[in-house]
């Protein structure tokens, strides 16, 4: 059995990444890794579903126990991918999506060069700001902080294997599945198929 594919999925906050992921998870069989974070839960977020919401002390303890595949600071909080959310699934042949920011994504690409990396961009910064305001979960100050962070992140998009523009949701989701399909057809993963085809030749 082939191992699962590790997918690094990054997009600045407000790019519609959450909606895109919800659609992707509806149609495909993926495990979306649940990260640990030290930020406070938003009103509709549930511990152990959206994130593991933990204290700074607990986060630092997990760092010292090498529990993370990667972790990074983002807007004054820690965010990290727990190894326990990744390797057990990959071993079982399940594809794992890491929804993480750029610094963490770079660390994963270094440690796991076989990972497929995708960056989602908004059609424009103006549209990004509009979406963040519409969401209404952050103050104006935090929104501007996130817009500045987003602009910095977007300039790293070229370091990813693929870029998707999330203008129309359906097109963006279709682009994701097109990438997955092409990745699964890569010749280096088709050893078993080739052997099967050549059987009794
Ligand atoms: P939010 O606070 O909007 O949920 O997330 C802020 C940023 O942190 C997003 O860009 C999100 O992708 C990123 N993030 C979430 N989990 C992780 C993680 O485990 N590691 C890293 N490096 N970034 C993460």
């Amino acid at each position: 059995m082939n191992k699962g594919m590790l997918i690094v999925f990054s997009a600045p906050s407000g790019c519609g990444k959450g909606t895109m992921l919800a659609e992707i998870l509806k149609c495909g069989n993926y495990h979306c890794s649940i990260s640990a974070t030290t930020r406070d839960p938003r009103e509709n977020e549930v511990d152990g579903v959206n994130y593991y919401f933990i204290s700074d002390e607990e986060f630092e303890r997990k760092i010292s126990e090498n529990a993370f595949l990667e972790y990074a600071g983002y807007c004054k909080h820690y965010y990290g991918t727990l190894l326990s959310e990744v390797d057990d699934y990959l071993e079982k042949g399940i594809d794992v999506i890491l929804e993480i920011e750029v610094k963490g994504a770079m660390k994963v690409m270094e440690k796991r060069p076989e990972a497929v990396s995708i960056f989602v961009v908004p059609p424009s910064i103006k549209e990004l700001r509009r979406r963040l305001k519409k969401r209404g979960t952050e103050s104006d100050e935090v929104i501007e902080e996130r817009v500045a962070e987003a602009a910095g992140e977007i300039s790293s998009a070229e370091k990813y294997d693929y870029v998707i523009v999330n203008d129309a949701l359906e097109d963006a989701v279709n682009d994701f599945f097109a990438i997955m399909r092409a990745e699964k057809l890569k010749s280096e993963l088709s050893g078993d198929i080739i052997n099967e085809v050549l059987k009794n030749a």
Side-chain angles (χ1 to χ4, degrees):
M1 187 183 59
N2 281 335
K3 269 180 77 170
M5 195 155 66
L6 183 60
I7 303 150
V8 176
F9 190 75
S10 296
S13 164
C15 273
K17 178 182 44 180
T19 326
M20 248 186 100
L21 270 179
E23 284 301 307
I24 289 166
L25 296 176
K26 249 195 249 167
C27 312
N29 187 23
Y30 298 98
H31 172 66
C32 199
S33 156
I34 303 168
S35 297
T37 183
T38 57
R39 84 150 161 75
D40 290 332
R42 298 190 183 116
E43 210 181 320
N44 53 351
E45 288 180 327
V46 178
D47 185 38
V49 175
N50 304 92
Y51 282 105
Y52 298 109
F53 295 100
I54 62 178
S55 63
D56 283 291
E57 294 71 38
E58 203 177 337
F59 201 102
E60 278 157 13
R61 186 173 53 76
K62 285 189 185 297
I63 295 175
S64 66
E65 290 169 355
N66 293 322
F68 291 112
L69 170 59
E70 64 71 38
Y71 65 91
Y74 181 92
C75 290
K76 300 177 195 134
H77 295 290
Y78 277 132
Y79 292 82
T81 305
L82 294 158
L83 282 164
S84 57
E85 283 287 321
V86 177
D87 288 330
D88 293 351
Y89 294 91
L90 293 179
E91 288 303 325
K92 287 183 194 142
I94 300 169
D95 298 334
V96 176
I97 301 181
L98 307 183
E99 194 245 282
I100 60 180
E101 53 65 72
V102 174
K103 293 187 289 288
M106 297 298 138
K107 285 186 215 157
V108 176
M109 289 182 212
E110 223 178 275
K111 286 189 177 171
R112 306 279 174 103
E114 71 283 8
V116 177
S117 56
I118 302 175
F119 195 93
V120 181
V121 292
S124 66
I125 288 285
K126 194 170 156 211
E127 174 60 14
L128 179 81
R129 186 179 280 113
R130 193 192 67 78
R131 288 180 189 173
L132 280 171
K133 284 198 170 152
K134 191 170 153 223
R135 184 162 84 183
T137 49
E138 269 92 16
S139 64
D140 281 355
E141 192 192 333
V142 173
I143 288 176
E144 284 316 311
E145 237 175 68
R146 284 183 175 240
V147 168
E149 191 87 27
E153 285 199 326
I154 290 169
S155 52
S156 301
E158 282 170 40
K159 295 182 184 138
Y160 287 66
D161 297 320
Y162 299 94
V163 174
I164 298 177
V165 180
N166 187 9
D167 194 354
L169 177 67
E170 199 186 331
D171 292 343
V173 171
N174 285 338
D175 285 347
F176 176 88
F177 285 116
I179 293 167
M180 290 302 110
R181 181 98 189 103
E183 284 291 331
K184 297 265 173 184
L185 293 174
K186 271 194 167 161
S187 57
E188 72 232 39
L189 298 179
S190 29
D192 291 351
I193 301 168
I194 302 291
N195 288 338
E196 192 60 30
V197 171
L198 289 177
K199 224 185 208 167
N200 305 322

Coordinates of all heavy atoms in Angstrom, one line a residue, residues 57-103:
E57 N 2.7 27.7 28.3 CA 3.5 26.7 29.1 C 3.4 25.3 28.4 O 4.4 24.6 28.2 CB 3.1 26.6 30.6 CG 3.3 27.8 31.4 CD 2.3 28.9 31.0 OE1 1.1 28.6 30.7 OE2 2.7 30.1 31.0
E58 N 2.2 24.9 28.1 CA 2.0 23.6 27.5 C 2.6 23.5 26.2 O 3.2 22.5 25.8 CB 0.5 23.3 27.4 CG 0.2 21.8 27.4 CD -1.3 21.5 27.4 OE1 -2.1 22.4 27.8 OE2 -1.6 20.4 26.9
F59 N 2.5 24.6 25.4 CA 3.1 24.6 24.1 C 4.6 24.5 24.2 O 5.2 23.7 23.5 CB 2.7 26.0 23.3 CG 2.9 25.9 21.8 CD1 1.7 25.7 21.0 CD2 4.1 25.9 21.2 CE1 1.8 25.6 19.6 CE2 4.2 25.8 19.8 CZ 3.1 25.6 19.1
E60 N 5.2 25.2 25.1 CA 6.6 25.1 25.3 C 7.1 23.8 25.8 O 8.1 23.3 25.4 CB 7.1 26.3 26.2 CG 7.3 27.5 25.4 CD 7.2 28.8 26.2 OE1 7.3 28.8 27.4 OE2 7.0 29.9 25.5
R61 N 6.3 23.1 26.6 CA 6.6 21.8 27.0 C 6.6 20.8 25.8 O 7.5 20.0 25.7 CB 5.5 21.3 28.1 CG 5.9 20.0 28.7 CD 5.0 19.6 29.9 NE 3.6 19.7 29.6 CZ 2.9 18.8 28.9 NH1 3.5 17.7 28.4 NH2 1.6 18.9 28.6
K62 N 5.6 21.0 24.9 CA 5.5 20.1 23.8 C 6.7 20.4 22.8 O 7.2 19.4 22.2 CB 4.2 20.3 23.0 CG 3.0 19.7 23.7 CD 1.8 19.8 22.9 CE 0.5 19.3 23.6 NZ 0.6 17.8 24.0
I63 N 7.2 21.6 22.8 CA 8.4 21.9 22.0 C 9.6 21.1 22.5 O 10.3 20.4 21.8 CB 8.8 23.4 22.0 CG1 7.7 24.2 21.3 CG2 10.1 23.6 21.3 CD1 7.9 25.7 21.4
S64 N 9.7 21.1 23.9 CA 10.9 20.4 24.5 C 10.7 18.9 24.3 O 11.7 18.2 24.4 CB 11.0 20.8 25.9 OG 9.9 20.4 26.7
E65 N 9.5 18.4 24.2 CA 9.3 17.0 24.0 C 9.4 16.5 22.5 O 9.1 15.4 22.2 CB 7.9 16.6 24.5 CG 7.8 16.7 26.0 CD 6.3 16.5 26.5 OE1 5.4 16.5 25.6 OE2 6.1 16.5 27.7
N66 N 9.7 17.5 21.6 CA 9.8 17.2 20.2 C 8.5 16.7 19.6 O 8.5 15.8 18.8 CB 10.9 16.2 19.8 CG 12.3 16.8 20.1 OD1 12.5 18.0 19.8 ND2 13.2 16.0 20.6
A67 N 7.4 17.2 20.1 CA 6.1 16.7 19.7 C 5.6 17.3 18.4 O 4.7 16.9 17.8 CB 5.0 17.0 20.8
F68 N 6.4 18.4 17.9 CA 5.9 19.1 16.7 C 6.7 18.7 15.4 O 8.0 18.6 15.5 CB 6.1 20.6 16.9 CG 5.1 21.1 17.9 CD1 5.5 21.7 19.1 CD2 3.7 21.2 17.6 CE1 4.6 22.2 20.0 CE2 2.8 21.7 18.5 CZ 3.3 22.2 19.7
L69 N 6.0 18.6 14.3 CA 6.7 18.5 13.0 C 7.3 19.9 12.7 O 8.4 20.0 12.2 CB 5.7 18.0 11.9 CG 6.2 18.1 10.5 CD1 7.4 17.2 10.3 CD2 5.1 17.7 9.5
E70 N 6.5 20.9 13.0 CA 6.9 22.3 12.9 C 6.1 23.2 13.8 O 5.0 22.8 14.2 CB 6.8 22.8 11.4 CG 5.3 22.8 10.9 CD 4.5 23.9 11.4 OE1 5.0 25.0 11.7 OE2 3.3 23.7 11.7
Y71 N 6.6 24.3 14.1 CA 5.8 25.3 14.8 C 6.3 26.7 14.5 O 7.4 26.8 14.0 CB 5.8 25.1 16.3 CG 7.2 25.3 17.0 CD1 7.5 26.6 17.5 CD2 8.1 24.3 17.0 CE1 8.8 26.8 18.0 CE2 9.3 24.5 17.6 CZ 9.7 25.7 18.1 OH 10.9 25.9 18.6
A72 N 5.5 27.7 14.6 CA 5.9 29.1 14.3 C 5.1 30.1 15.1 O 4.0 29.7 15.6 CB 5.6 29.3 12.8
G73 N 5.6 31.3 15.2 CA 4.9 32.4 15.8 C 4.1 33.1 14.7 O 4.6 33.3 13.6
Y74 N 2.9 33.5 15.0 CA 2.1 34.2 14.0 C 1.2 35.2 14.8 O 0.4 34.7 15.7 CB 1.2 33.2 13.2 CG 0.4 33.9 12.1 CD1 0.9 34.1 10.8 CD2 -0.9 34.3 12.4 CE1 0.1 34.6 9.8 CE2 -1.7 34.9 11.4 CZ -1.2 35.1 10.1 OH -2.0 35.6 9.2
C75 N 1.3 36.5 14.5 CA 0.5 37.5 15.2 C 0.5 37.2 16.7 O -0.6 37.1 17.3 CB -0.9 37.5 14.6 SG -1.0 38.2 13.0
K76 N 1.7 37.2 17.3 CA 1.9 37.1 18.7 C 1.4 35.8 19.4 O 1.3 35.7 20.6 CB 1.2 38.2 19.4 CG 1.7 39.6 19.0 CD 1.0 40.7 19.7 CE 1.2 42.0 19.0 NZ 0.0 42.8 18.8
H77 N 1.1 34.7 18.6 CA 0.8 33.4 19.2 C 1.6 32.3 18.5 O 2.1 32.5 17.4 CB -0.7 33.2 19.0 CG -1.6 34.1 19.7 ND1 -1.6 34.1 21.1 CD2 -2.4 35.1 19.3 CE1 -2.5 35.1 21.5 NE2 -2.9 35.7 20.5
Y78 N 1.6 31.2 19.2 CA 2.3 30.0 18.7 C 1.2 29.2 17.9 O 0.1 29.1 18.4 CB 2.8 29.1 19.8 CG 4.1 29.4 20.5 CD1 4.2 29.4 21.9 CD2 5.2 29.6 19.7 CE1 5.4 29.6 22.5 CE2 6.5 29.8 20.4 CZ 6.5 29.8 21.8 OH 7.7 30.0 22.4
Y79 N 1.7 28.6 16.8 CA 0.9 27.6 16.1 C 1.8 26.4 15.8 O 2.9 26.7 15.4 CB 0.3 28.1 14.8 CG -0.7 29.2 14.9 CD1 -0.3 30.6 15.2 CD2 -2.1 29.0 14.8 CE1 -1.2 31.6 15.2 CE2 -3.0 30.0 14.9 CZ -2.6 31.3 15.1 OH -3.5 32.3 15.2
G80 N 1.3 25.2 15.9 CA 2.2 24.1 15.6 C 1.5 22.8 15.2 O 0.4 22.5 15.6
T81 N 2.2 22.1 14.3 CA 1.7 20.8 13.8 C 2.2 19.6 14.6 O 3.4 19.4 14.7 CB 2.1 20.6 12.3 OG1 1.7 21.7 11.5 CG2 1.5 19.3 11.7
L82 N 1.3 18.9 15.2 CA 1.7 17.8 16.1 C 2.1 16.6 15.2 O 1.3 16.2 14.3 CB 0.6 17.4 17.0 CG 0.3 18.5 18.1 CD1 -1.1 18.3 18.6 CD2 1.3 18.5 19.2
L83 N 3.2 15.9 15.5 CA 3.6 14.7 14.7 C 2.5 13.7 14.8 O 2.2 12.9 13.8 CB 4.9 14.1 15.2 CG 6.1 14.9 14.8 CD1 7.3 14.5 15.6 CD2 6.4 14.6 13.3
S84 N 1.8 13.6 15.9 CA 0.7 12.6 16.1 C -0.5 12.8 15.2 O -1.3 12.0 15.0 CB 0.2 12.6 17.6 OG -0.2 13.9 17.9
E85 N -0.5 14.1 14.6 CA -1.6 14.4 13.7 C -1.2 14.0 12.2 O -2.0 14.2 11.3 CB -2.0 15.8 13.7 CG -2.8 16.2 14.9 CD -4.2 15.8 14.8 OE1 -4.8 15.8 13.7 OE2 -4.8 15.3 15.8
V86 N 0.0 13.6 12.0 CA 0.5 13.4 10.7 C 0.9 11.9 10.3 O 0.3 11.3 9.5 CB 1.7 14.3 10.4 CG1 2.3 14.1 9.1 CG2 1.3 15.8 10.6
D87 N 1.9 11.4 11.1 CA 2.5 10.2 10.6 C 1.7 8.9 10.7 O 1.7 8.1 9.8 CB 3.9 10.0 11.3 CG 4.9 11.0 10.8 OD1 4.8 11.4 9.6 OD2 5.8 11.4 11.6
D88 N 0.8 8.8 11.7 CA 0.0 7.6 11.8 C -1.0 7.6 10.6 O -1.2 6.5 10.1 CB -0.9 7.7 13.1 CG -0.1 7.6 14.3 OD1 1.1 7.3 14.2 OD2 -0.6 7.8 15.5
Y89 N -1.5 8.7 10.2 CA -2.4 8.8 9.1 C -1.6 8.4 7.8 O -2.1 7.6 7.0 CB -3.0 10.1 8.9 CG -3.9 10.4 10.1 CD1 -3.5 11.1 11.3 CD2 -5.3 10.0 10.1 CE1 -4.3 11.3 12.3 CE2 -6.1 10.3 11.2 CZ -5.6 10.9 12.3 OH -6.4 11.2 13.4
L90 N -0.5 9.0 7.6 CA 0.3 8.8 6.3 C 0.6 7.3 6.2 O 0.5 6.7 5.2 CB 1.6 9.6 6.3 CG 1.5 11.1 6.2 CD1 2.8 11.7 6.2 CD2 0.7 11.5 5.0
E91 N 1.0 6.6 7.4 CA 1.3 5.2 7.4 C 0.1 4.4 6.9 O 0.3 3.3 6.3 CB 1.8 4.8 8.8 CG 3.2 5.2 9.1 CD 4.3 4.8 8.2 OE1 4.1 3.7 7.6 OE2 5.2 5.6 7.9
K92 N -1.1 4.8 7.3 CA -2.3 4.1 6.9 C -2.7 4.4 5.5 O -3.8 4.0 5.1 CB -3.4 4.5 7.9 CG -3.3 3.9 9.3 CD -4.5 4.2 10.1 CE -4.2 4.0 11.6 NZ -4.8 4.9 12.5
G93 N -2.0 5.2 4.8 CA -2.3 5.5 3.4 C -3.3 6.7 3.2 O -3.8 6.9 2.2
I94 N -3.5 7.4 4.3 CA -4.4 8.5 4.3 C -3.7 9.8 4.0 O -2.6 10.1 4.6 CB -5.2 8.7 5.6 CG1 -6.0 7.4 5.9 CG2 -6.1 9.9 5.7 CD1 -6.5 7.3 7.3
D95 N -4.2 10.6 3.0 CA -3.6 11.9 2.7 C -3.8 12.9 3.8 O -5.0 12.9 4.4 CB -4.1 12.4 1.4 CG -3.8 11.5 0.2 OD1 -2.9 10.8 0.3 OD2 -4.6 11.5 -0.8
V96 N -2.8 13.6 4.2 CA -3.0 14.6 5.3 C -2.8 16.0 4.8 O -1.8 16.3 4.2 CB -1.9 14.3 6.4 CG1 -2.0 15.3 7.5 CG2 -2.1 12.9 7.0
I97 N -3.7 16.9 5.2 CA -3.6 18.3 4.8 C -3.1 19.1 6.0 O -3.7 19.0 7.1 CB -5.0 18.9 4.3 CG1 -5.5 18.1 3.1 CG2 -4.8 20.3 4.0 CD1 -6.8 18.6 2.6
L98 N -2.1 19.9 5.8 CA -1.6 20.8 6.9 C -2.0 22.2 6.5 O -1.5 22.7 5.4 CB -0.1 20.8 7.0 CG 0.6 19.4 7.2 CD1 2.1 19.6 7.4 CD2 0.0 18.7 8.4
E99 N -2.9 22.8 7.2 CA -3.3 24.2 6.9 C -2.4 25.1 7.8 O -2.8 25.4 8.9 CB -4.8 24.2 7.2 CG -5.5 25.4 6.7 CD -6.0 26.3 7.8 OE1 -7.0 26.0 8.4 OE2 -5.3 27.3 8.0
I100 N -1.3 25.5 7.2 CA -0.3 26.3 8.0 C 0.2 27.5 7.3 O 0.1 27.6 6.1 CB 0.9 25.3 8.4 CG1 1.6 24.8 7.2 CG2 0.4 24.2 9.3 CD1 2.8 23.9 7.6
E101 N 0.8 28.4 8.1 CA 1.3 29.6 7.5 C 2.7 29.4 6.9 O 3.3 28.3 7.0 CB 1.3 30.8 8.5 CG 2.0 30.6 9.8 CD 3.4 30.4 9.7 OE1 4.1 31.4 9.4 OE2 3.9 29.3 9.9
V102 N 3.3 30.4 6.2 CA 4.5 30.3 5.4 C 5.7 29.8 6.1 O 6.4 28.9 5.7 CB 4.8 31.6 4.7 CG1 6.1 31.5 3.9 CG2 3.7 32.0 3.7
K103 N 6.0 30.3 7.3 CA 7.3 29.9 8.0 C 7.3 28.4 8.3 O 8.2 27.7 8.1 CB 7.5 30.7 9.3 CG 7.7 32.2 9.1 CD 8.0 32.9 10.4 CE 6.9 33.1 11.3 NZ 5.8 34.0 11.2

